[in-house]
Amino acid sequence: MFRDITERRRAEEALRETRHLVDRILESTPNLIYIYDLAEHRNMYANREVTEFLGYTPQQVQAMGSALFGNILHPDDTATVAEHHARMASAAESEVQTVEYRMRHHRGEWRWLRSRDVPFSRDEKRAARRILGFAEDVTEHKHADEALRAAHRKFESLIKASPVGIATLDPGRKLTLWNPALEQMFGWTAGEVLGRTLPYIPPEESEEHAGILTRVMSGEPFDGIALRTARKDGSHIDVSMSTAAYLDDDGNIMGVLGVVQDITERTLAELELRETKELFTSFMRHSPIYSFIKEVTPTESRVLHASENYEQMIGIKGSDMVGKTMAQLFPAEFAAKMTADDWAVVSKGEILTTDEDLDDRNYTTVKAPITLGDKTLLVGHTIDITARKQAEAKLAETARRLELATSSGGLGVWDWDIKNNRMAWDDRMFELYGIRKDTFPARIDAWLNGLHPEDKERAVAECQAALDGKKEFDTTFRVVHPEGTVKYLKANGLVIRDQDCVAVRMLGLNKDITDSRLYEEERERLQEQLLHSQKLESVGRLAGGVAHDFNNMLGVILGHADLALKTLEPTHRLYADLEAIRKAAERSADLTRQLLMFARRQTVAPKVLDLNDTMAGALKMLRPLIGEEIQLNWRPEADVWPVNVDPSQIDQILANLCVNARDAIAGVGKITIETGNVTLDGDYCVRHAGFVPGEYVRLVVSDDGCGMDKETLTHVFEPFFTTKGVGEGTGLGLATVYGIVKQNNGFINVYSEVGQGTTLVIYLPRHVGKTAQTQTDGGAKPRLRGQETILLVEDEPAILNVTTEMLETLGYIVVAAGTPGEALSLARERAGEIHLLMTDVVMPEMNGRDLAKNLLSLYPDLRRLFMSGYTANVIAHHGVLDEGVHFIQKPFSLTALAAKVREALEE
């Protein structure tokens, strides 16, 4: 029986074609495709990609059968695959599940597979019997992931171990990374800051930080920008920050990485270095000593730095010396020695001190080596010791006194137990305070009781200040010994405190500075004397100038008054007025004469004389001056040395001193005048400023009057200074005495106390030579008139006119000239004889002395008479007339003129 199987054959053919198509698809797909039987636990099918993935041939894979997975599945993935198959058995229709596992390649390496499986062909219980798997080779992806994870783990380790702070920010400026270095740097943990904005911007820096953050988030990189930030505890920290943005594939900013370093110490070091450099630069610019740094080789010493004040030493600023060698700065021999010395310092590593002379200046230099890295330089300081050298000779007396002071005893040591008020002294302390040990109270009272009453309050206050911690105990004070001796002491003390800073003990030293203190007081006193002397010199120069001009005016007044009186009878109504004018002019002339004496411009004619003989004659003049109620005692020392002085000046000294003494005595009193020889040594002159050692004749005038206070003594020699009432004195008496003594190279001292009287001591230099014989008056009065011809030369017209009239009144023929040139012309033109030249000393064109020399060539027998308010050293040296010179002091009266003219003509 036959059956029609055409449809079946068609169906089978279609099935075959379908299977062939499926096979073609499965073999041509790049995926790994397999069919696995869950019930029988075996592989039903694997395409060519599976065999190539595993490295086996299709026959080898087919031969493996159900043992495929068991043979090549990684042991660690067995459980994973089993669990996956269990899930697939119960999976719903078309449910896709994924699993990853490793399989061993034919060559032995393990390869990763990611499979996406779907269930099909279910059993009667609707459980999936088989799964269709679509797998892909993810071995390289897995290796890349593993490498990425390893790199990430390594990056995290580096971040955690990094000594610098590392942080990241997302585009919203939130922190996404905060490593341990930042936690330690700022004090915030990662948990406190992640997901938040930056917490460490101090308020005063917020504006600057905000601007920088905006630029950072815009992608602008920063490399080592310095910022001031804040820690969690509020303290500030200086950091250096570098930033960089990281981008996605499209160039968008994904975040910012920041690297932060703590540079607080570096900032402080840089600040200190900057300050040190500024200090060094300032020192080199303003140093009072000469400082330098050099680089030295055996043959060359070159300046690296030098202070600016080298301009004072060698005429070159320190900045201009930099880079120059010694040979370029100093003479060759000096430069060679200096280079050798510098190399010795550097090569031997020793400090060298040298003394050098340069351009009449003395210097001492200290040089020392300094090492900077692998280089050794030389640093030095030079001090100008010229003043010190010059002062050493002058310090001999001071050194002697200091040696005497130190040799008389050492330092006294004391120890005061403050809490128990117990005082301990060494032996020297008892000597300093003049206390015996058996009378020592061993308390602070021993010190207090010895203090001078005027110093006690201050010394106690300074001691208390030291106990209170306000200052060190370093002071000087006086102590009074029981017998009355006063000592100056210097005291230093160290306060010892307990743990509560309470003063419990004080240790100290005392030193006797009596000699040095008295010496300092004496030095100050001598300085005051010197300043006073200089002030008197200045006043004297002023007074002398005024007196000169005043004398010219007085000469005119006095001359005309004398001439007018000669023409009038004493009974004339104008005679008394003219006489009053003449007397006023003479009194004014006396004042100017005293001013000139004070200024040492009074012209004098000194003579070698015995002071006792001169004084004896002057006593007759003095007794009427002082009055009968005052006793005058004369105590001359026998055989006094001769002196070279104008006798009239001795009279002036005695008159002024005795009148002053008389005025200081109220009622009955005593004035004593003494003479004697004295030799002044160096010690005395050191204590008395301006005195010169040598042999002198001493003149002493003392009284028992009211005396003077210290303030009055400081002005006593000043002109016009007086303690008398208005109209009772001119204030020129002692000023005149002072000027006379100084003009004769002498010295004067005054000693006085209120209520104890006054003593003035004058020292006149001893004259070595014969004493002049005293000439007696012949008895006949010289004639005062004459008929000789006189050439009168005077540049002041008023004086020329009145002097001409006075000479003509005396009978002389006068040839008057207003200038030296006119006088020479008149002398050459005159046919007759000229017997006398009477000329002013100081004139324009030429002085009177030179005029006289010129006229002597015309008239060899010409006599000369000079006149002046003062001589200006033309015919006199320091006011002392040259020998044989005739001189008349302006202003002069008619009688004085007549006598001087006859004296000059008849000598």
Side-chain angles (χ1 to χ4, degrees), residues 778-793:
K781 292 184 179 181
R783 63 190 183 94
L784 300 180
R785 297 178 61 82
Q787 298 176 345
E788 291 89 346
T789 300
I790 299 175
L791 175 59
L792 176 65
V793 187

Side-chain angles (χ1 to χ4, degrees), residues 61 65 88 231 250 255 258 329 342 355 384 396 444 465 477 522 626-627 662 709 755 759:
V61 173
M88 291 306 299
R231 294 186 177 94
D250 297 327
L329 295 172
D342 292 349
D355 289 337
D384 188 337
I444 190 65
F477 49 77
E522 181 67 11
I626 62 176
R662 177 200 67 190
D709 57 25
T759 298

Side-chain angles (χ1 to χ4, degrees), residues 28-72:
S28 62
T29 183
N31 290 332
L32 288 73
I33 301 175
Y34 62 91
I35 298 174
Y36 185 76
D37 191 318
L38 295 175
E40 296 180 6
H41 302 291
R42 68 185 181 88
N43 191 46
M44 299 295 294
Y45 170 82
N47 69 351
R48 182 168 51 84
E49 293 295 325
V50 174
T51 61
E52 291 180 358
F53 172 73
L54 296 174
Y56 295 99
T57 65
Q59 292 77 14
Q60 289 174 322
V61 173
Q62 190 67 34
M64 290 179 187
S66 61
L68 174 64
F69 284 108
N71 292 336
I72 63 176

